[in-house]
Amino acid sequence: MKNLTLAASLLALSAFTPPSLPVADTSAPVLANDPNTTSEVPQDNKLVIYQLLPRLFGNKVALNKPYGTILENGCGKFNDINDLALTKIKELGVSHMWYTGVLEHATMTSYPAAGLPADDADVVKGRAGSPYAVKDYYDVDPDLAVNPKNRLEEFEALVKRTHAHGLKVIIDFIPNHVARSYHSDAKPAGVVDLGAQDDKTKSFAPNNNFYYLPGQHFVVPAGYNPLGALKGPGEDGKYNEFPAKATGNDVFSAAPKLDDWFETVKLNYGVDYQNGRATHFDPVPDTWKKMRDILVYWAQKDVDGFRCDVAEMVPVEFWAYVIPEVKKVKPGIIFIGEAYNPKEYNTYLTKGHFDFLYDKVGLYDGLRRLMRQEGTTDDITHVWKEESNGFSSHMLRFLENHDEQRIASKEFATNPRRAIPAMTVAATLASGPVMLYMGQEVGEPAAGAAGFNTGDGRTTIFDYWSVPEHQKWMNHGKFDGGKLSPEQKQLRDFYARLLSLAGSSEAIRKGRFYELQDANNLGKEYDQRKLYTFLRYSKGQQVLVVVNFSDTKTYHPTVLIPDNVLQTIGLDPQRIYAYHDLLNGGEARNSLNLTLEPLSATVLEIKPR
């Protein structure tokens, strides 16, 4: 979840401290002070993450009626992510499944037999509701269960099924805000609900879970009409909340605006925003303890990791406290932070103990410009140099997720093949994780207005909907791609080859990095603006990556690897080498006289002849 004014909401964080990195392949040499390389110690293993929304993934209904109900438009279930589906996803080279929208959230759909009423439509976005407006941290979305009464058991079965396929499970943790209707009816015995013991006469108190606006009633934003001419439960422009609570994106007003996160309320982590952001972290605030207990609850359900929503909107001191606490319970569990402030990345990795952070304001933005034929490869150089001081291998790289526009949409790049060079860079530039979003591998364009989502190049997370190109691959549960076009099959095959290579190649998984742009900028037919070349190397493997971002021009460069660089990566300049294309296959080549078609990528392993 993102906010366009997020930077204005970030908390003041502590100063830079040098990162503590895991020990990996330190045997590979590095040229000291060489501006083309980094001395960072990489991760030892590379995560390949597949993000999917269960609500969308298994949905076989193709109606896609705007504002459609769950009965009209359908909804995927936990059980749809079955053994066959997991087998086919793993064939993409995936190691981790990020199941998005698992926790119970506010919705316009009721389940009377399970004792779950619909929420007031005036504080719900979309008929299905936002997965980031959590209504019960201890429960899962009943929409996703075949039998809503057994929803938790069905989720637990999905976790076991995923593990049986050698895959790990990541779910969302949304720490900054909850639905206005938050109330846990599934909390374990002895757990006190959020806000149950708050002193509502005070706008701020260190142990309150929420922030209040005493004496004021909450006001639904003027003009909010969630279902247009259709009427949802309670849709009357009113919502009974007294005293009003602060809104999730740090809005301390009883009348938030239409473009605020008005459907959510801000959680109090001991920061007094209205009094100079004074902090009250000692003793440990009650909210910290409640959130620790929630994370431990899911860790004990055998979840392997958390993607932490808008992590920078929660004080880093909380993460410094809670992540070690959870890792005491499950040492191998991972924490991925949604982060957008590069100046604070090191703080959240070192002081905050995150394993990984989003590389959105950096590599994603640069690759997006290149895919739109607007940028140059200087954007990539800038990113790795900025991140080479200790955290490149801790950055999660992606080209799509639920917050971003689809590559194949007219709002982004239109042609899904424009992802080929960009995704190759994202997957191979460093040893940190790489992520694929459901439907990206078949060129889903996210066309059409779903309801609350008005058709902006993003696949809706708010509405009951389906993903048409993904459905062609799913093929009514056969998961065989039977309805894909030849071009879509070729695209998916590319993703499978690339991600499998990224997760298995020693040099890509845990090797070091060396850029070859400077060495080739004067070479014949080497357009440094459109071509990008670099090495990944470890003790046991040396790999050359070359990509062409141009969507019109074929290049025929002779790529140069200087003798001193060969020595750096552990090769003898006096020997003769062959070059094996690990990405595209074919016969080994005896030279680096390359033909680079438009929107192409090659990954060459360098081996003695």
Side-chain angles (χ1 to χ4, degrees):
M1 184 172 182
K2 293 189 300 184
N3 176 23
L4 296 177
T5 59
L6 181 60
S9 301
L10 297 179
L11 299 176
L13 302 173
S14 58
F16 167 81
T17 48
S20 175
L21 295 173
V23 176
D25 187 356
T26 58
S27 59
V30 179
L31 283 181
N33 302 317
D34 190 316
N36 298 296
T37 190
T38 171
S39 59
E40 180 186 30
V41 178
Q43 295 284 334
D44 191 36
N45 284 296
K46 188 177 187 71
L47 280 60
V48 179
I49 301 170
Y50 189 86
Q51 182 194 6
L52 66 82
L53 279 75
R55 178 195 295 167
L56 300 176
F57 180 85
N59 187 15
K60 301 178 183 67
V61 179
L63 178 63
N64 277 357
K65 174 185 174 182
Y67 295 113
T69 66
I70 190 170
L71 294 178
E72 292 170 321
N73 280 354
C75 182
K77 308 295 181 183
F78 292 133
N79 288 0
D80 291 321
I81 310 168
N82 57 28
D83 288 314
L84 180 57
L86 290 167
T87 297
K88 295 299 183 179
I89 292 172
K90 190 171 183 180
E91 288 175 359
L92 287 168
V94 171
S95 63
H96 289 65
M97 301 292 294
W98 170 14
Y99 296 129
T100 303
V102 165
L103 300 183
E104 185 185 4
H105 53 267
T107 178
M108 295 186 198
T109 302
S110 66
Y111 291 91
L116 299 172
D119 293 279
D120 191 309
D122 292 294
V123 287
V124 178
K125 291 181 177 177
R127 276 200 185 273
S130 169
Y132 295 94
V134 172
K135 185 165 65 175
D136 189 344
Y137 278 121
Y138 287 101
D139 208 347
V140 298
D141 182 4
D143 282 347
L144 306 180
V146 174
N147 182 346
K149 288 184 178 180
N150 296 333
R151 57 194 179 276
L152 188 57
E153 290 83 355
E154 290 187 29
F155 172 69
E156 291 171 336
L158 172 61
V159 173
K160 291 179 181 177
R161 193 160 59 247
T162 305
H163 287 159
H165 285 265
L167 298 163
K168 294 188 178 296
V169 173
I170 298 169
I171 65 170
D172 288 282
F173 173 54
I174 300 94
N176 176 69
H177 49 267
V178 294
R180 297 208 99 91
S181 59
Y182 187 89
H183 172 72
S184 177
D185 52 18
K187 60 185 181 293
V191 172
V192 176
D193 218 0
L194 286 166
Q197 297 178 342
D198 280 6
D199 182 347
K200 298 179 182 180
T201 67
K202 296 179 179 178
S203 59
F204 169 82
N207 278 319
N208 274 359
N209 299 135
F210 299 117
Y211 298 95
Y212 295 92
L213 298 157
Q216 300 182 57
H217 290 268
F218 172 76
V219 179
V220 175
Y224 185 54
N225 191 16
L227 296 178
L230 308 171
K231 285 292 180 181
E235 187 181 345
D236 57 4
K238 299 177 183 178
Y239 181 71
N240 184 23
E241 181 180 284
F242 182 83
K245 302 183 184 76
T247 292
N249 59 319
D250 299 356
V251 172
F252 289 78
S253 167
K257 297 178 181 178
L258 196 58
D259 59 354
D260 288 321
W261 301 350
F262 66 85
E263 81 282 16
T264 68
V265 291
K266 175 82 173 178
L267 283 165
N268 172 10
Y269 282 82
V271 181
D272 190 351
Y273 286 86
Q274 296 176 294
N275 287 287
R277 296 195 174 196
T279 58
H280 302 263
F281 300 154
D282 187 12
V284 173
D286 184 70
T287 302
W288 292 23
K289 297 175 184 176
K290 283 185 166 64
M291 291 299 167
R292 175 201 60 198
D293 293 346
I294 289 162
L295 287 164
V296 167
Y297 172 84
W298 291 107
Q300 291 176 334
K301 294 286 185 189
D302 221 9
V303 165
D304 303 293
F306 298 99
R307 177 269 187 189
C308 302
D309 191 61
V310 289
E312 296 162 300
M313 294 185 75
V314 173
V316 70
E317 290 83 357
F318 164 71
W319 299 113
Y321 157 81
V322 79
I323 291 177
E325 286 285 301
V326 179
K327 290 194 175 190
K328 289 177 186 176
V329 176
K330 189 168 184 176
I333 203 163
I334 63 169
F335 283 79
I336 300 170
E338 180 192 17
Y340 299 103
N341 185 358
K343 293 181 180 178
E344 300 298 346
Y345 287 169
N346 266 312
T347 303
Y348 276 78
L349 288 168
T350 56
K351 183 175 181 178
H353 301 295
F354 273 97
D355 297 288
F356 306 105
L357 300 175
Y358 269 35
D359 195 352
K360 196 279 179 188
V361 182
L363 191 64
Y364 170 88
D365 285 346
L367 292 175
R368 179 184 171 94
R369 287 189 289 272
L370 281 159
M371 283 187 282
R372 289 168 60 88
Q373 304 296 301
E374 296 170 351
T376 74
T377 59
D378 287 344
D379 285 334
I380 305 172
T381 300
H382 175 75
V383 167
W384 78 255
K385 285 187 174 180
E386 285 290 308
E387 297 177 356
S388 66
N389 62 352
F391 56 86
S392 179
S393 62
H394 293 264
M395 303 307 292
L396 168 64
R397 272 60 188 255
F398 55 84
L399 298 183
E400 288 187 358
N401 63 42
H402 66 279
D403 278 320
E404 307 301 341
Q405 292 172 327
R406 292 287 194 172
I407 297 161
S409 70
K410 65 181 187 299
E411 292 83 2
F412 188 164
T414 307
N415 180 359
R417 288 187 57 81
R418 286 184 172 179
I420 289 174
M423 194 68 186
T424 301
V425 171
T428 64
L429 191 72
S431 60
V434 63
M435 186 171 75
L436 183 67
Y437 185 38
M438 178 196 83
Q440 177 184 340
E441 69 273 30
V442 293
E444 168 59 34
F452 182 82
N453 180 286
T454 57
D456 59 0
R458 296 173 175 85
T459 295
T460 183
I461 64 171
F462 305 100
D463 307 279
Y464 296 113
W465 205 244
S466 65
V467 186
E469 304 311 310
H470 164 75
Q471 284 186 327
K472 292 177 182 178
W473 170 74
M474 186 171 59
N475 195 15
H476 297 286
K478 295 178 183 178
F479 299 103
D480 61 0
K483 295 187 177 181
L484 296 176
S485 69
E487 292 77 16
Q488 287 177 307
K489 291 178 180 179
Q490 290 172 5
L491 184 67
R492 192 175 190 277
D493 180 64
F494 157 74
Y495 278 102
R497 287 182 280 111
L498 174 65
L499 297 178
S500 296
L501 174 61
S504 62
S505 162
E506 177 184 305
I508 295 170
R509 281 192 305 108
K510 61 179 183 178
R512 298 184 185 274
F513 168 89
Y514 194 103
E515 186 184 83
L516 288 172
Q517 292 295 87
D518 288 345
N520 286 277
N521 65 351
L522 298 178
K524 182 181 178 182
E525 280 207 49
Y526 193 90
D527 183 349
Q528 196 169 7
R529 299 167 302 168
K530 295 294 186 181
L531 304 182
Y532 192 70
T533 304
F534 59 95
L535 293 157
R536 295 296 309 283
Y537 64 100
S538 62
K539 183 178 181 181
Q541 187 182 41
Q542 296 80 21
V543 166
L544 174 71
V545 181
V546 189
V547 300
N548 177 12
F549 284 97
S550 173
D551 62 356
T552 59
K553 186 169 181 180
T554 297
Y555 294 93
H556 301 276
T558 298
V559 174
L560 303 175
I561 307 177
D563 287 354
N564 66 321
V565 178
L566 287 170
Q567 290 175 329
T568 296
I569 67 175
L571 297 177
D572 182 354
Q574 304 304 314
R575 296 199 66 174
I576 299 175
Y577 294 95
Y579 306 93
H580 303 256
D581 194 334
L582 302 179
L583 180 59
N584 305 303
E587 295 293 324
R589 61 177 68 243
N590 293 323
S591 74
L592 290 177
N593 300 323
L594 305 181
T595 296
L596 302 174
E597 301 287 345
L599 302 176
S600 65
T602 184
V603 180
L604 301 172
E605 182 177 16
I606 307 171
K607 300 180 78 171
R609 271 202 281 164

